[in-house]
Amino acid sequence: MKRFYWVLLMAGLAGGHAAQAQQLPTQPPAGTVAATAPTGPWTLQRAIDYALQNNLSVRQQQLTAELQSATLRQSRAALLPSANLSGTQAWNFGTSIDPLTNEFKSQTIRSNNFSANSQVTLFSGFQLRNTVKRNLLDAEASVLDIEKSRNDLSLNVASAFLQLVLAEELVRANEIRVSSTKAQVERTQKLLKAGAIPESNLLDIQAQQASDELNVITAQNQRDLARLSLTQLLNLPSPAGFTIEVPQLADPDDAPLLEADPDGTYQTAQSLLPEIKAADLRVRSAQRSLDVARGGYYPRLGLGAGIFTGYSSARSSFIQTGLDSTFIPVINRQTGRPDPSLGLLTVQPRREFSSTAFSQQLKDNLGKNIQFSLQIPILNGLQVRTSVQRAQINIQQQALRAEQTRLTLRQSIQQSYADAIAAQRRYLSSRRQVEALTTAYRNAEIRFNNGLLNGTEFNIAKNNLTAAESTMIQAKYEFIFRRKVLDFYQGRPVAL
């Protein structure tokens, strides 16, 4: 937040530093801007809304949050069982081992393996659940980072918008001075012709006219630079035709002096600003990381199950292709010879080797398994202990970052209050100075027209009034912007 405070600090400055006053983020290439942009005068709210929709930094932060959400979904899915299917097909040539029977075969073998496996972690020191809780905190913090990016962009747009309003008012003020000086030159020429004043007075007032015209050109250049800065912040393709609707801003003296209550504003700001909430969430996330690291000390218990089958072209079996009959005659005892009328008829099946069918092998080779696995950590190169120590250090780092964020916020609020009061007092003082110098200028003008005052002294009176008016205008916008910073800290929207 301190970075944006310094951005706001520069918003009210004019003169030769106007081109360097606004510290804006790097703009995207021209090819990435929107093809068309709204037309017509732009209000501050319209400019902020358009910037929030088209600024690349905000969109990048949104993508970062989406990545963190994807990480959270993945960690939640890690609690579910894993299931996988696999299949292979291979050819073995020459003498090789049948992958299903482990027998040596001297032939080409085509084999297939199919399996399905599932595993689930039953216990792992609560690492999976703590990982989910940690990623949930990180996802919430990334969403708050988007909100912070949007707030930062809104402040930058408001700073650039007020810078342009200030630049346009300075242009109008200088143009009025040029018109007044031209009229004074015409009066001086008439007085010179009448012999009422010396020629040196005319030369002095003409030199003043040239200086006033140069001031107009300088103010116009500053206005163009302020317009360019705002259009680049809005990611517009070109500043051509860009105009703003100048708001009606109350003078600082119309409001009472600010009551110094930075502590109350700080209490409100730290309960509202997203960077404070994100810092606290990251401290809690670091504590969950410590729980994850400590889970490495515990045993891991897992459950697995699988099913397997396969096919081998080398596997064969006997199949019956028919019947073979054999007649065995009986020996006649009297003759000692076979008697063809007597004997035994035997029938035997005819079998041949044949490759087993694919579907039959898948059914025959089907196998199932279930297993429990237990891993007990004993010594792993002190990896778990080192992870725990690193997690403890990370907690301390995140706690310090959160404390630094709060300290920066408190100091920024205190400085904003001091600067706002100083700017209001500066405006009131410069306004009284303008009133006094206006009276002195009118008196000098009367004396100059009557020949009682030379041109050099008259120009000094005019330049003093011009410088006082510029200081008053700058002090006015400086106070307005600092007041908007305090409104932002108090949870009010950035508006004019």
Side-chain angles (χ1 to χ4, degrees), residues 16-267:
H17 300 289
Q20 303 174 356
Q22 183 66 29
Q23 299 297 327
L24 300 176
T26 304
Q27 294 301 312
T32 62
V33 300
T36 58
T39 58
W42 289 68
T43 63
L44 175 59
Q45 187 59 47
R46 181 183 181 187
I48 290 176
D49 294 340
Y50 186 86
L52 292 177
Q53 294 177 358
N54 296 274
N55 186 266
L56 298 186
S57 297
V58 174
R59 290 163 61 184
Q60 289 175 351
Q61 192 61 55
Q62 291 173 342
L63 292 177
T64 300
E66 292 180 7
L67 288 175
Q68 191 59 53
S69 297
T71 302
L72 173 60
R73 290 193 299 271
Q74 191 277 329
S75 61
R76 284 174 172 168
L79 296 171
L80 303 176
S82 63
N84 298 281
L85 297 175
S86 63
T88 62
Q89 178 167 292
W91 286 266
N92 295 333
F93 303 94
T95 301
S96 59
I97 298 177
D98 189 330
L100 295 182
T101 63
N102 290 327
E103 296 178 350
F104 280 96
K105 300 287 185 179
S106 296
Q107 64 181 79
T108 300
I109 302 175
R110 181 178 71 86
S111 60
N112 298 92
N113 292 314
F114 305 99
S115 63
N117 297 281
S118 179
Q119 292 183 346
V120 61
T121 300
L122 300 179
F123 181 77
S124 61
F126 304 105
Q127 286 183 315
L128 296 179
R129 294 187 180 276
N130 286 324
T131 299
V132 172
K133 294 178 181 179
R134 180 194 61 190
N135 292 341
L136 178 60
L137 294 172
D138 290 339
E140 293 176 356
S142 64
V143 173
L144 291 173
D145 289 340
I146 297 177
E147 185 178 349
K148 178 183 181 298
S149 180
R150 293 169 64 89
N151 288 341
D152 295 345
L153 179 60
S154 298
L155 288 176
N156 278 332
V157 172
S159 174
F161 191 91
L162 276 178
Q163 181 68 32
L164 181 55
V165 173
L166 169 62
E168 290 187 345
E169 186 164 341
L170 290 175
V171 169
R172 289 192 296 270
N174 281 281
E175 289 175 345
I176 292 175
R177 295 187 191 107
V178 169
S179 299
S180 175
T181 305
K182 287 183 178 179
Q184 187 64 41
V185 169
E186 294 176 357
R187 288 193 298 268
T188 304
Q189 289 174 343
K190 293 178 181 179
L191 293 173
L192 179 62
K193 290 181 180 180
I197 59 173
E199 185 180 3
S200 60
N201 286 9
L202 176 61
L203 297 177
D204 289 338
I205 197 65
Q206 286 176 339
Q208 182 63 43
Q209 178 183 351
S211 297
D212 291 344
E213 291 175 347
L214 177 60
N215 291 336
V216 171
I217 298 300
T218 301
Q220 290 174 345
N221 291 337
Q222 294 171 355
R223 178 195 59 190
D224 294 340
L225 291 174
R227 181 185 293 113
L228 177 63
S229 297
L230 180 56
T231 54
Q232 287 180 341
L233 189 60
L234 297 178
N235 208 17
L236 293 175
S238 171
F242 180 85
T243 58
I244 62 172
E245 182 178 314
V246 179
Q248 297 295 329
L249 301 175
D251 292 335
D253 58 339
D254 293 339
L257 285 174
L258 291 171
E259 296 181 0
D261 186 21
D263 291 336
T265 302
Y266 169 73
Q267 296 299 329

Side-chain angles (χ1 to χ4, degrees), residues 215-344:
N215 291 336
V216 171
I217 298 300
T218 301
Q220 290 174 345
N221 291 337
Q222 294 171 355
R223 178 195 59 190
D224 294 340
L225 291 174
R227 181 185 293 113
L228 177 63
S229 297
L230 180 56
T231 54
Q232 287 180 341
L233 189 60
L234 297 178
N235 208 17
L236 293 175
S238 171
F242 180 85
T243 58
I244 62 172
E245 182 178 314
V246 179
Q248 297 295 329
L249 301 175
D251 292 335
D253 58 339
D254 293 339
L257 285 174
L258 291 171
E259 296 181 0
D261 186 21
D263 291 336
T265 302
Y266 169 73
Q267 296 299 329
T268 302
Q270 73 168 348
S271 64
L272 296 176
L273 292 183
E275 54 265 39
I276 301 296
K277 298 178 181 179
D280 292 339
L281 286 174
R282 289 190 167 94
V283 173
R284 295 169 56 190
S285 173
Q287 294 171 346
R288 288 296 179 185
S289 295
L290 176 60
D291 295 336
V292 173
R294 285 175 173 169
Y297 286 124
Y298 293 89
R300 299 178 63 90
L301 178 62
L303 172 64
I307 186 172
F308 167 85
T309 188
Y311 167 81
S312 173
S313 62
R315 174 167 291 190
S316 59
S317 60
F318 289 103
I319 60 172
Q320 183 174 334
T321 59
L323 297 175
D324 292 330
S325 59
T326 303
F327 179 77
I328 302 175
V330 177
I331 301 298
N332 192 324
R333 291 182 178 181
Q334 296 178 355
T335 62
R337 296 181 179 179
D339 189 348
S341 62
L342 298 174
L344 298 175

